[in-house]
Amino acid sequence: MNYDDVAITTAVTIPYVRYSTRSAHWFLARALAETFQSSGLKMSDIDGLCVSSFTLTPDTAVGLTQHLGISPRWLEHIPMGGASGVIALRRAARAVQCGDAQIVACIAGDTNHVDSFRQTLASFSQFARDAVYPYGSGGPNASFALLTAYYMRVFGARMDDFGKLCIAQRANALEYPHALFKKPLTLEDYLTARPIAAPLRLYDCVMPCAGAEGFLVMRRERAHALGLKAARLLGAIERHNAFPDDPIQMRGGWELDRDDLYAQAGVAPSDIDFVQTYDDYPVMTVMQLEDLAFCAKGEGPAFVRSHTFDLRGSFPLNTSGGQLSVGQAGAAGGYLGMVDAIRQLTGESIGGIVPDAKIGLVSGFGMINYDRGLCSGATILARDAA
Amino acid sequence: MTTPLARPKRKNPFLRTRLSVLPPAARSRVALGLTAAAAEGRFELQVCTACGTTQYPPREACSRCLCGDLKWALQDGRGELISDSTLHVSHDLYFRERMPWRVGMVRLPSDAILITHVHGDVPAAPSQVRVTARLDKSGQAALIALPIMDTANMSDDRQLREMTCDPKFRKVLVTDGKTAVGQEIVKAVLAAGADMVWLGFAEPWKQLPGFADIAALPQVTPLPLDLTNSESVKQIAAQIGAKVDIVINNAEVHRTHGISSRYGVDVAHAEMEVNYFGLLRLAQEFGAVMRARGADGQSGAVAWVNLLSIYALTNFPPHGTFSASKAAALSLAQCLRAEMRPAAIRVINAFPGPIDDEWNQLVPPPKLAPRALAHAIVGALQDGTEDIYPGDVAQEWRARWRENPKILERELAG
């Protein structure tokens, strides 16, 4: 079954803050309320809810229904971190296509108390608690330092390649009102920033923060009837624990499923007008560009050197600035690219605009369970011409 | 090569003594198998009994065939460091105080991937390494990748030293200098670089061979210490407790009686007074002050060694009351270990087989030479192991006990 009759609408953002005394419930409530506000729908119109959050514990989506006073007939909880946005969309799309729900609100959000990130890390997974956290407790910085060092050694990437991506994203972020980083980034700033976990320095690392994102999924005819601007869903893939025999992560599940993705969508990589990668660390962006067939494996560094990545560049990337410049609001980080992709395609951008964008690709990646990220996903969205 | 450790300067009395913090200690139950092996100095990983796949991190089912029966198996630890990093920022207080910190990923020939601490002498990835499992300051197993060949001063590596209790530049109390074992321990810790030894002696009127010579060594300070006397232990603790980095409690009374061979409780009482209550007195007087010094600079309080006996595991009826006193001491030592853990002080229990001394005269060989026991104790300090079974008899009894304690009991009953 294709996704032809699925519409994605009503991208909402609860502005990010570095720290908050609110709980995740507050941010998720705000995101849900904002979808009503933006769409003009009432609480009773939405019969499906899909939630992602790390800091909602001990609650899940179940507890949230009572907390927020809603009675959905379809409920999903997706604990897949940075892949949550793409996978929420996949789940919600099938639910509305099959009639299990009419309108699904997909929301992701997290709070960030002064000490909550450390607590999340210490008990992130059984493998992390047993076999990662006791080794320096560097969190994802340490995990991605190991992957980055390996990638650089094997494929000849240089820090200024990664810096180029970070700088372009910062330029995009300067046009996006909710970005927490508001100053331009120079290559010198990037290369001389304080070391975090060699070879990573400060601007290679996302900054944990609090915030939320959301969108609505319904059938196209419903969106048209409601007068909502919508993006179309051309294709979507997900994969978990791909390539378990690779000694270290140099690729994600996208490589297994990309042909399927482009076949579903009926487009080629060259048809894509902008790409939203999951950019928790720039090495992951490079891997996604390779695995999603924008260049061959190992050619990421050359691809970076031959393109420009700002909104009006040869390869517009992470159009709102990405997590590296906007901040990483926990699971909302897995929604950031999706939400801005919807806005770019519905003409509702609140920041910079990719000129004449018709097709966008959103990639998700999440959950460093032990030594690598396990969840990958990607989706191709298009402007709804109807 | 590692920069050799410098003798620590005298402590500045104006500075506050830092408090102990521990590295993250939470582990799942299945991961404690790694700790159980590391406590005895072995690096073991789970291996699937059905398909033979080596597993890591520890898990409940084989990641290849879903078999639920995984057995811990000895590893030689040789592998390739495929990536490494030096961390400058940590989320954890313990590591934050010790930045920068080197970590890496090691691929074993079995394809298991290990995230490990990395010794400073290991060349940058890719390079060959030996992985060992050590107990970290929290008492949990942690993997560290070492250079493939020993390097100069390698035990002085900052990260490795966090996992050991090396006597180098440390101050040691040996509670009984009158026995051959005590004297050999003094020689061995001094040879290992200990700064000085306080050497306890009870019953000063009793001249025993060797003591005068050992007490005359320049690094040795003899102290009258009678573990059966609470006041004596208290006085010595007041005098040196705040300076001792390592306690080695080797004092013991050993008589060769069961229940029926000696009527009355006087001998059993004497054994308990030293072997059990002596440890209790020592632990009460020295425990608190040592706990306060668990993070006192490069050479803070670090370890407590108990001389137990392999007879502590299962009673050896010809030495029945001695066995019972050592079993009591073992139980108390486990309590002490739990109480010392928050201060990162390792409690090491030595379970020797019969020592080659007068009280084992009638026990047939092989018997453990006092010097071999002393070297095993210093080895445990240098490796940071928790339980050692020195000598062939102890090794064999330990193996039999692990296999089936009931069978061993029946065999020892004659």
Side-chain angles (χ1 to χ4, degrees), chain A residues 33-353:
Chain A
E34 188 65 26
T35 63
F36 300 138
Q37 186 83 24
S38 300
S39 64
L41 292 166
K42 298 189 300 293
M43 205 130 121
S44 55
D45 296 327
I46 291 182
D47 54 357
L49 179 68
C50 179
V51 179
S52 293
S53 176
F54 290 108
T55 52
L56 192 59
T57 55
D59 284 351
T60 66
V62 178
L64 198 64
T65 61
Q66 190 170 35
H67 201 112
L68 303 184
I70 53 175
S71 306
R73 65 179 175 127
W74 183 94
L75 182 67
E76 180 71 282
H77 185 99
I78 297 187
M80 302 186 194
S84 295
V86 170
I87 292 169
L89 174 57
R90 271 171 64 92
R91 301 284 186 279
R94 293 311 189 199
V96 299
Q97 282 184 299
C98 298
D100 292 350
Q102 296 288 315
I103 300 178
V104 176
C106 298
I107 54 175
D110 269 294
T111 189
N112 188 39
H113 306 322
V114 170
D115 196 36
S116 56
F117 189 66
R118 184 185 68 84
Q119 290 173 1
T120 300
L121 289 181
S123 56
F124 191 76
S125 68
Q126 178 171 322
F127 284 1
R129 191 184 52 184
D130 287 346
V132 185
Y133 197 65
Y135 296 87
S137 309
N141 295 332
S143 303
F144 284 97
L146 294 169
L147 303 190
T148 303
Y150 187 85
Y151 186 92
M152 291 174 75
R153 193 173 85 229
V154 172
F155 295 125
R158 304 186 308 247
M159 288 316 290
D160 57 320
D161 297 328
F162 299 131
K164 183 175 179 181
L165 295 174
C166 296
I167 290 163
Q169 290 187 202
R170 181 63 59 85
N172 295 347
L174 296 179
E175 301 188 43
Y176 183 72
H178 301 318
L180 291 183
F181 291 87
K182 297 187 182 301
K183 289 184 195 159
L185 180 67
T186 69
L187 187 60
E188 192 192 349
D189 294 338
Y190 171 84
L191 291 173
T192 59
R194 73 184 167 96
I196 302 293
L200 303 180
R201 291 176 181 270
L202 185 63
Y203 298 112
D204 292 302
C205 307
V206 284
M207 183 168 81
C209 63
E213 309 273 0
F215 56 86
L216 298 180
V217 179
M218 61 193 77
R219 296 181 67 150
R220 283 174 75 199
E221 58 192 39
R222 185 71 181 266
H224 296 160
L226 291 167
L228 296 174
K229 292 180 177 171
R232 288 173 53 209
L233 174 54
L234 300 187
I237 54 169
E238 70 180 87
R239 180 69 65 168
H240 306 279
N241 193 29
F243 307 117
D245 295 329
D246 284 1
I248 185 167
Q249 188 156 43
M250 278 193 300
R251 52 184 175 170
W254 308 282
E255 193 185 297
L256 286 175
D257 303 298
R258 64 190 178 195
D259 292 347
D260 182 27
L261 175 67
Y262 290 115
Q264 288 177 36
V267 301
S270 55
D271 298 323
I272 306 287
D273 297 313
F274 64 88
V275 173
Q276 317 279 24
T277 58
Y278 188 78
D279 66 322
D280 49 355
Y281 296 83
V283 71
M284 285 317 305
T285 290
V286 177
M287 273 191 222
Q288 285 163 81
L289 296 178
E290 293 169 344
D291 295 348
L292 288 161
F294 294 102
C295 60
K297 180 54 65 185
E299 289 177 10
F303 185 87
V304 170
R305 289 166 206 160
S306 63
H307 279 280
T308 52
F309 298 94
D310 53 287
L311 291 158
R312 289 159 286 278
S314 63
F315 194 93
L317 178 75
N318 293 333
T319 50
S320 58
Q323 298 176 81
L324 285 167
S325 282
V326 178
Q328 181 181 57
Y335 271 53
L336 182 69
M338 179 77 77
V339 164
D340 209 59
I342 298 166
R343 288 180 179 136
Q344 293 291 341
L345 294 169
T346 56
E348 296 168 307
S349 176
I350 57 173
I353 294 168

Side-chain angles (χ1 to χ4, degrees), chain A residues 130 135-136 146 153 196 198 370, chain B residues 28 82-83 85 88 90 113 143:
Chain A
D130 287 346
Y135 296 87
L146 294 169
R153 193 173 85 229
I196 302 293
Y370 171 51
Chain B
S28 61
I82 56 174
S83 191
S85 175
H88 296 271
S90 176
I113 299 292
L143 304 177

Side-chain angles (χ1 to χ4, degrees), chain B residues 141-381:
Chain B
L143 304 177
I144 181 163
L146 303 176
I148 199 83
M149 304 288 283
D150 283 356
T151 55
N153 314 310
M154 75 179 279
S155 62
D156 289 352
D157 178 73
R158 207 169 52 84
Q159 290 184 215
L160 180 57
R161 199 168 153 91
E162 284 292 310
M163 296 168 206
T164 65
C165 318
D166 200 314
K168 190 169 178 182
F169 296 138
R170 285 184 163 124
K171 299 177 172 62
V172 183
L173 167 64
V174 177
T175 58
D176 186 0
K178 286 193 169 177
T179 65
V181 168
Q183 292 159 18
E184 290 294 345
I185 290 173
V186 172
K187 289 184 212 161
V189 294
L190 289 176
D195 243 11
M196 65 165 298
V197 175
W198 289 284
L199 186 58
F201 63 94
E203 302 170 327
W205 46 269
K206 196 191 275 180
Q207 299 291 324
L208 288 174
F211 178 72
D213 290 344
I214 208 90
L217 290 175
Q219 306 97 320
V220 174
T221 304
L223 289 173
L225 174 60
D226 179 356
L227 295 194
T228 67
N229 180 336
S230 297
E231 200 50 42
S232 163
V233 179
K234 188 174 188 156
Q235 271 180 18
I236 295 301
Q239 193 179 329
I240 65 166
K243 300 179 216 164
V244 171
D245 302 321
I246 298 173
V247 168
I248 301 178
N249 180 24
N250 67 309
E252 62 178 12
V253 171
H254 184 174
R255 296 296 179 269
T256 53
H257 296 290
I259 297 169
S260 52
S261 67
R262 172 97 192 186
Y263 184 72
V265 298
D266 54 331
V267 166
H269 203 278
E271 286 170 336
M272 289 295 280
E273 269 301 326
V274 172
N275 300 353
Y276 174 77
F277 286 107
L279 170 58
L280 181 57
R281 289 184 188 99
L282 207 55
Q284 286 188 341
E285 296 297 345
F286 280 85
V289 66
M290 284 182 77
R291 278 196 294 274
R293 289 190 54 248
D296 192 8
Q298 175 189 287
S299 305
V302 71
W304 181 299
V305 182
N306 296 307
L307 178 59
L308 303 177
S309 163
I310 194 66
Y311 304 160
L313 297 184
T314 304
N315 193 283
F316 180 49
H319 298 202
T321 56
F322 173 75
S323 300
S325 72
K326 289 294 186 178
L330 167 58
S331 186
L332 193 67
Q334 289 168 338
C335 174
L336 179 64
R337 182 176 283 159
E339 293 189 6
M340 296 302 252
R341 181 155 296 153
I345 294 170
R346 182 141 312 151
V347 172
I348 297 171
N349 289 334
F351 299 85
I355 298 164
D356 199 358
D357 64 13
E358 63 268 38
W359 301 107
N360 288 310
Q361 185 202 348
L362 300 183
V363 177
K367 289 189 266 194
L368 183 63
R371 176 171 298 176
L373 174 55
H375 284 163
I377 286 171
V378 169
L381 288 166

